[in-house]
PDB file of all heavy atoms in Angstrom:
ATOM      1  N   ALA A 263      72.815 -10.082 -58.163  1.00  0.00           N
ATOM      2  CA  ALA A 263      73.917 -10.534 -59.032  1.00  0.00           C
ATOM      3  C   ALA A 263      74.509  -9.428 -59.810  1.00  0.00           C
ATOM      4  O   ALA A 263      75.802  -9.261 -60.015  1.00  0.00           O
ATOM      5  CB  ALA A 263      73.510 -11.752 -59.976  1.00  0.00           C
ATOM      6  N   ALA A 269      80.442 -12.513 -62.895  1.00  0.00           N
ATOM      7  CA  ALA A 269      80.011 -13.730 -62.229  1.00  0.00           C
ATOM      8  C   ALA A 269      81.248 -14.418 -61.522  1.00  0.00           C
ATOM      9  O   ALA A 269      82.216 -14.362 -62.115  1.00  0.00           O
ATOM     10  CB  ALA A 269      79.457 -14.599 -63.316  1.00  0.00           C
ATOM     11  N   THR A 277      91.761 -31.760 -56.462  1.00  0.00           N
ATOM     12  CA  THR A 277      91.654 -33.156 -56.831  1.00  0.00           C
ATOM     13  C   THR A 277      92.493 -33.984 -55.627  1.00  0.00           C
ATOM     14  O   THR A 277      92.518 -35.130 -55.541  1.00  0.00           O
ATOM     15  CB  THR A 277      92.317 -33.556 -58.126  1.00  0.00           C
ATOM     16  OG1 THR A 277      93.476 -32.872 -58.236  1.00  0.00           O
ATOM     17  CG2 THR A 277      91.434 -33.233 -59.266  1.00  0.00           C
ATOM     18  N   LEU A 386      64.346 -43.071 -33.200  1.00  0.00           N
ATOM     19  CA  LEU A 386      64.686 -43.710 -31.920  1.00  0.00           C
ATOM     20  C   LEU A 386      65.127 -42.638 -30.976  1.00  0.00           C
ATOM     21  O   LEU A 386      65.608 -41.564 -31.451  1.00  0.00           O
ATOM     22  CB  LEU A 386      65.954 -44.602 -32.102  1.00  0.00           C
ATOM     23  CG  LEU A 386      65.943 -45.852 -32.930  1.00  0.00           C
ATOM     24  CD1 LEU A 386      67.318 -46.581 -32.782  1.00  0.00           C
ATOM     25  CD2 LEU A 386      64.768 -46.692 -32.444  1.00  0.00           C
ATOM     26  N   ILE A 389      66.200 -42.357 -23.446  1.00  0.00           N
ATOM     27  CA  ILE A 389      65.548 -41.771 -22.288  1.00  0.00           C
ATOM     28  C   ILE A 389      66.452 -40.640 -21.685  1.00  0.00           C
ATOM     29  O   ILE A 389      65.913 -39.747 -21.119  1.00  0.00           O
ATOM     30  CB  ILE A 389      65.211 -42.866 -21.221  1.00  0.00           C
ATOM     31  CG1 ILE A 389      64.357 -42.231 -20.053  1.00  0.00           C
ATOM     32  CG2 ILE A 389      66.475 -43.387 -20.622  1.00  0.00           C
ATOM     33  CD1 ILE A 389      63.005 -42.157 -20.218  1.00  0.00           C
ATOM     34  N   GLY A 437      69.849 -59.151 -26.904  1.00  0.00           N
ATOM     35  CA  GLY A 437      71.008 -58.823 -27.918  1.00  0.00           C
ATOM     36  C   GLY A 437      72.146 -59.786 -27.752  1.00  0.00           C
ATOM     37  O   GLY A 437      72.173 -60.510 -26.839  1.00  0.00           O
ATOM     38  N   PRO A 474      73.660 -57.652 -37.366  1.00  0.00           N
ATOM     39  CA  PRO A 474      72.930 -57.671 -38.585  1.00  0.00           C
ATOM     40  C   PRO A 474      71.464 -57.499 -38.392  1.00  0.00           C
ATOM     41  O   PRO A 474      70.661 -57.420 -39.401  1.00  0.00           O
ATOM     42  CB  PRO A 474      73.231 -59.019 -39.243  1.00  0.00           C
ATOM     43  CG  PRO A 474      73.398 -59.959 -37.959  1.00  0.00           C
ATOM     44  CD  PRO A 474      74.023 -59.014 -36.980  1.00  0.00           C
ATOM     45  N   VAL A 560      52.845 -28.217 -35.468  1.00  0.00           N
ATOM     46  CA  VAL A 560      53.889 -27.552 -34.648  1.00  0.00           C
ATOM     47  C   VAL A 560      53.691 -26.156 -34.727  1.00  0.00           C
ATOM     48  O   VAL A 560      53.451 -25.528 -35.702  1.00  0.00           O
ATOM     49  CB  VAL A 560      55.330 -27.892 -35.310  1.00  0.00           C
ATOM     50  CG1 VAL A 560      56.382 -27.299 -34.441  1.00  0.00           C
ATOM     51  CG2 VAL A 560      55.505 -29.427 -35.305  1.00  0.00           C
ATOM     52  N   ALA A 588      59.144 -25.696 -40.363  1.00  0.00           N
ATOM     53  CA  ALA A 588      59.923 -24.378 -40.626  1.00  0.00           C
ATOM     54  C   ALA A 588      58.899 -23.241 -40.477  1.00  0.00           C
ATOM     55  O   ALA A 588      57.696 -23.374 -40.726  1.00  0.00           O
ATOM     56  CB  ALA A 588      60.474 -24.504 -41.964  1.00  0.00           C
ATOM     57  N   ALA A 616      57.263 -25.790 -16.831  1.00  0.00           N
ATOM     58  CA  ALA A 616      56.417 -25.317 -15.745  1.00  0.00           C
ATOM     59  C   ALA A 616      55.310 -26.360 -15.537  1.00  0.00           C
ATOM     60  O   ALA A 616      55.067 -26.761 -14.258  1.00  0.00           O
ATOM     61  CB  ALA A 616      55.905 -23.954 -15.944  1.00  0.00           C
ATOM     62  N   LYS A 633      61.279 -36.308 -14.459  1.00  0.00           N
ATOM     63  CA  LYS A 633      61.493 -37.655 -14.293  1.00  0.00           C
ATOM     64  C   LYS A 633      61.129 -38.527 -15.446  1.00  0.00           C
ATOM     65  O   LYS A 633      60.153 -38.033 -16.207  1.00  0.00           O
ATOM     66  CB  LYS A 633      60.794 -38.228 -13.028  1.00  0.00           C
ATOM     67  CG  LYS A 633      61.238 -37.614 -11.773  1.00  0.00           C
ATOM     68  CD  LYS A 633      60.290 -37.919 -10.582  1.00  0.00           C
ATOM     69  CE  LYS A 633      60.742 -37.210  -9.338  1.00  0.00           C
ATOM     70  NZ  LYS A 633      60.561 -35.812  -9.336  1.00  0.00           N
TER      71      LYS A 633
END
Side-chain angles (χ1 to χ4, degrees):
T277 48
L386 294 185
I389 185 82
V560 180
K633 294 173 185 64

